[in-house]
Amino acid sequence: EVRLVESGGGMVQPGGSLRLSCAASGLLISSTAMNWVRQAPGKGPEWVSGISVDGFTTYTTSVKGRFTISRDNAENTVWLHMSRLEPEDTAVYYCAAGPGVDLTQRQNLYADWGQGTQVTVFS
């Protein structure tokens, strides 16, 4: 059974930082692309970032230069370091795996999802 468990969310003021983690079991993150998707209140899911098995990273425009995705294969964990947070970043952040080794923003193709972690940016 595949499990993805996110943690690290919380409440932070604008300009602050958080680091989210996604611990995987039942799959090797070294063999699949990994992604972060967020859903803000009243909005649909938004793809945020992805990392391929080769380490190639990509980001949605609104977080470029502020968020960094990384992967620790030994710990089987994916990280999302978020800095210079803005109120617009408030959302539940989900980790998602797959569908294969390459990146795609097509969320309907992701094989496995975590339960999400809440990030709230407030003044």
Side-chain angles (χ1 to χ4, degrees):
E1 177 188 7
V2 175
R3 287 193 69 203
L4 301 175
V5 180
E6 302 95 334
S7 61
M11 302 177 74
V12 64
Q13 292 185 327
S17 299
L18 285 172
R19 188 178 71 165
L20 306 183
S21 65
C22 171
S25 60
L27 68 83
L28 293 177
I29 65 167
S30 58
S31 62
T32 185
M34 297 296 295
N35 307 274
W36 287 95
V37 176
R38 67 185 178 186
Q39 186 163 17
K43 296 186 178 180
E46 176 190 24
W47 174 84
V48 175
S49 180
I51 184 167
S52 72
V53 294
D54 295 329
F56 180 80
T57 60
T58 186
Y59 304 90
T60 192
T61 300
S62 64
V63 308
K64 282 182 180 177
R66 300 189 298 120
F67 290 12
T68 302
I69 189 172
S70 61
R71 185 180 65 214
D72 186 327
N73 292 340
E75 294 191 9
N76 217 30
T77 298
V78 178
W79 308 92
L80 185 67
H81 186 207
M82 307 184 296
S83 62
R84 301 192 337 251
L85 283 161
E86 304 168 355
E88 293 73 22
D89 296 316
T90 295
V92 178
Y93 284 71
Y94 298 91
C95 174
V101 299
D102 295 321
L103 291 169
T104 178
Q105 296 181 28
R106 296 175 61 185
Q107 300 169 35
N108 60 305
L109 297 180
Y110 297 159
D112 301 283
W113 292 76
Q115 83 291 345
T117 186
Q118 176 70 49
V119 171
T120 302
V121 185
F122 71 105
S123 298

